[in-house]
Amino acid sequence: MSVDRLNKRLRTITISWLVFIGLTVLGWIILADWRVALNGLLLGEVGGFYVVFSMIRQGHHNRDTQGAALFASGMVGMFTRLILIAAIMVISLKFRAVFNPYTALIGYLLGFVFVFVGLYSYAMNPSDNTKEK
């Protein structure tokens, strides 16, 4: 039961992130004067989607991965997220006329926020379904 509840929460986090990206795209279409800022936000959000995806999928909650393999997977995920933020910042700084680097950073960090807030509420609100009946 707990794994099903966790999977449902992870799907909710992913869908929420995709809706947030959709709202940013809608803002990009409507607010033409803010295109540079929204371009940076979209660039960061794409990186943030990788954060959401990698943090959810590298947890290995369905595969019973433990010990050194889980640690190695976490280190690889952390390293790829570090490379990604460096690439996002280099792109946004190199093309300042197109991307706002501050909003790119904010968009990237929002990926962590979505994961942490979603899983924090999961951990703090135990379900009645976890009790044996």
Side-chain angles (χ1 to χ4, degrees):
M1 281 290 186
S2 183
V3 173
D4 293 335
R5 190 171 153 250
L6 177 61
N7 285 334
K8 185 177 179 182
R9 177 57 63 136
L10 296 176
R11 272 192 308 278
T12 302
I13 293 169
T14 304
I15 291 169
S16 299
W17 185 249
L18 292 173
V19 168
F20 189 74
I21 290 173
L23 290 173
T24 304
V25 169
L26 184 64
W28 185 86
I29 292 168
I30 294 171
L31 304 170
D33 293 339
W34 292 44
R35 287 266 164 92
V36 173
L38 290 173
N39 283 342
L41 189 61
L42 280 170
L43 177 67
E45 286 175 359
V46 170
F49 185 70
Y50 176 74
V51 168
V52 170
F53 183 76
S54 70
M55 290 184 83
I56 287 173
R57 293 297 159 223
Q58 289 181 344
H60 302 286
H61 60 276
N62 288 327
R63 295 186 208 124
D64 293 329
T65 303
Q66 298 176 8
L70 184 59
F71 177 76
S73 174
M75 292 303 293
V76 168
M78 182 185 71
F79 186 68
T80 58
R81 288 187 291 274
L82 183 63
I83 289 172
L84 185 63
I85 186 60
I88 287 171
M89 293 312 295
V90 166
I91 290 168
S92 65
L93 289 170
K94 186 81 171 165
F95 301 105
R96 277 184 175 244
V98 180
F99 302 107
N100 182 326
Y102 298 111
T103 58
L105 181 61
I106 289 168
Y108 181 80
L109 294 177
L110 281 173
F112 288 103
V113 170
F114 268 70
V115 171
F116 291 137
V117 167
L119 292 180
Y120 180 80
S121 64
Y122 168 81
M124 293 306 188
N125 297 314
S127 174
D128 293 339
N129 294 337
T130 58
K131 296 179 184 175
E132 300 237 3
K133 294 182 180 180

